[in-house]
Amino acid sequence: MKKILAATLSIGMALLAACGGERAGEQTDTVAEAKTFTWKLVTSWPKNYPGLGTGPEKFADMVEAMSDGRLKVRVYGAGEMVPALEVFDAVSQGTVEMGHGSAYYWKGKIPAAPFFTTVPFGLNAQEMNAWLNYGGGLELWREAYEPFNLIPFPGGNTGVQMAGWFNKKIETMEDIEGLSVRIPGLGGEIITRAGGQSVTIPGGEIYTAMQTNLVDATEWVSPYNDQALGLHQVGDYYYYPGWHEPGPTLEFIVNEAAYNRLPDDLKAMVRVAAQAINQDMLNEYTARNMTAMEELVEKHGVDVRPLPDEVIAGLRDVTEQVLAELAEKDPLTKRVYESQMAFKEKAMAYHAITEEAFYDARRPEPESGYGE
Ligand code: CA
């Protein structure tokens, strides 16, 4: 016993000595380590917008705390430095070091971009995270952004959105013909292909557009953000599910040269904080959406209803057609499409006997929990 104790003590003392040695070594590096960086992060959201905009604010706080102030990130709302839809260019050109937005805004530059945000009838949040991190998605995303000197990181997720607020009942696919809907991205293309008219209006103008009947329907996000915009005051029916945005992933984009100037430990902090925000935002939306939906139904008497099976099936057919056509137009889009669709097939098979089977098992009655 004494021998073991003595051996333990001597190991302990050796460790102490080693620590002391390291500390002395650290001091010689003080100048290099003390170098501080101040980054600008521009976003596509109003400053501090709940969820979408508070995510990058939390990211900034996190890296500043982790780095003990060596990496400071100043966050700018849309329009403060650059307009919402110029985030990509500002970071690409190195005007600022970093951005937060949504890949599908850049589909004019990169046809494959929507696949990194969300695809109608595509992957949900859990599946997007799996595809991006363990299914080859992130490698393809980096390849797509590389020519623009940008490194993308998943930067949050809203979860399955709502189909949106409608002032006309949707019973068949014919009801979509001539319907004017505020719906961006691929969802908009599908509505157009189905005979409707898709319009892109920024969040701040949606309420008035609905109130003045400029549009018959609008999607925005989900109950938490929709209630904050007051959309229940201007929309008659709140339809689900968000077939067009089943698991929208937001993005952090970093200027490649700026990233490469960081020492390895700060690079790791950027990566880890982005991962933390990616998960944190989903957690926040999951909790706040269910509370907001309860309020919408109980306090405001909102009429929540499912899109009929026939309409879902019709939209799904149009989506398959539109996605296949998109893939044929561009080689990278084809690779991304094939990767994501193959992943989706596997996810659907497996989730049918796990997540879906469990949801069914957990629910005593088949009806939804609202408005029945
Ligand atoms: Ca949306």
Side-chain angles (χ1 to χ4, degrees):
M1 270 306 284
K2 272 184 188 169
K3 265 186 187 170
I4 292 170
L5 192 64
T8 311
L9 276 174
S10 70
I11 289 168
M13 285 168 74
L15 281 173
L16 278 177
C19 288
E22 257 175 41
R23 199 163 287 158
E26 274 172 22
Q27 275 171 357
T28 61
D29 290 341
T30 300
V31 176
E33 288 197 1
K35 186 165 165 54
T36 61
F37 297 82
T38 302
W39 279 14
K40 295 184 182 75
L41 191 168
V42 292
T43 72
S44 298
W45 330 112
K47 180 81 176 161
N48 279 316
Y49 191 81
L52 305 176
T54 49
E57 302 284 347
K58 288 183 192 171
F59 170 89
D61 292 345
M62 224 177 261
V63 289
E64 183 162 347
M66 282 197 284
S67 69
D68 198 17
R70 287 161 53 223
L71 178 54
K72 291 188 175 68
V73 179
R74 295 213 177 100
V75 182
Y76 296 85
E80 288 188 321
M81 268 197 80
V82 297
L85 301 184
E86 285 174 28
V87 166
F88 185 97
D89 287 341
V91 185
S92 174
Q93 289 155 12
T95 314
V96 297
E97 291 81 5
M98 206 169 165
H100 189 259
S102 181
Y104 69 179
Y105 293 150
W106 329 123
K107 69 173 178 161
K109 299 172 200 295
I110 304 170
F115 289 86
F116 304 116
T117 304
T118 192
V119 161
F121 297 99
L123 305 177
N124 68 13
Q126 184 183 356
E127 295 161 351
M128 269 303 279
N129 283 326
W131 177 66
L132 287 168
N133 292 297
Y134 290 94
L138 192 52
E139 285 81 0
L140 288 163
W141 196 357
R142 287 189 180 134
E143 184 183 334
Y145 278 27
E146 213 275 323
F148 300 90
N149 313 311
L150 291 173
I151 306 172
F153 298 91
N157 201 304
T158 66
V160 178
Q161 297 199 353
M162 290 291 287
W165 301 86
F166 289 67
N167 283 329
K168 288 182 179 163
K169 273 189 193 158
I170 303 299
E171 273 151 7
T172 67
M173 282 299 278
E174 281 76 59
D175 293 327
I176 292 176
E177 286 169 23
L179 195 77
S180 170
V181 191
R182 182 270 171 202
I183 176 170
L186 290 175
E189 279 187 48
I190 281 128
I191 288 295
T192 305
R193 193 70 72 91
Q197 189 196 351
S198 69
V199 189
T200 301
I201 301 170
E205 294 165 32
I206 295 178
Y207 184 94
T208 311
M210 283 288 280
Q211 199 179 32
T212 58
N213 296 319
L214 183 70
V215 292
D216 303 313
T218 183
E219 74 86 52
W220 174 228
V221 185
S222 36
Y224 177 45
N225 285 151
D226 290 7
Q227 186 188 30
L229 275 195
L231 295 180
H232 52 289
Q233 295 157 5
V234 289
D236 290 340
Y237 311 108
Y238 200 15
Y239 275 105
Y240 66 88
W243 57 275
H244 63 301
E245 298 196 0
T249 298
L250 301 160
E251 67 175 10
F252 283 111
I253 45 177
V254 181
N255 178 276
E256 199 178 358
Y259 184 75
N260 288 336
R261 279 195 291 273
L262 295 180
D264 286 348
D265 64 335
L266 294 186
K267 280 182 186 154
M269 288 172 206
V270 169
R271 288 196 301 271
V272 168
Q275 275 178 357
I277 295 306
N278 189 50
Q279 186 61 46
D280 179 76
M281 196 183 292
L282 180 62
N283 301 346
E284 184 178 10
Y285 270 105
T286 303
R288 298 202 196 281
N289 276 331
M290 48 184 96
T291 306
M293 185 57 107
E294 215 168 69
E295 279 179 23
L296 285 172
V297 172
E298 285 170 14
K299 274 198 201 159
H300 304 289
V302 165
D303 187 343
V304 182
R305 48 178 72 208
L307 283 171
D309 293 347
E310 177 193 331
V311 173
I312 288 291
L315 292 169
R316 197 167 51 221
D317 288 347
V318 178
T319 297
E320 277 174 21
Q321 215 179 314
V322 168
L323 294 183
E325 286 171 22
L326 204 64
E328 289 311 312
K329 285 184 192 156
D330 170 63
L332 179 61
T333 306
K334 191 177 169 69
R335 286 169 51 220
V336 176
Y337 166 81
E338 283 172 355
S339 166
Q340 200 180 81
M341 291 304 125
F343 198 88
K344 187 176 115 177
E345 287 300 312
K346 284 187 194 174
M348 282 173 66
Y350 186 63
H351 279 170
I353 63 157
T354 51
E355 262 66 6
E356 286 180 50
F358 172 70
Y359 286 163
D360 288 343
R362 179 169 75 173
R363 184 175 45 223
E365 289 167 26
E367 291 82 21
S368 85
Y370 302 102
E372 299 291 335

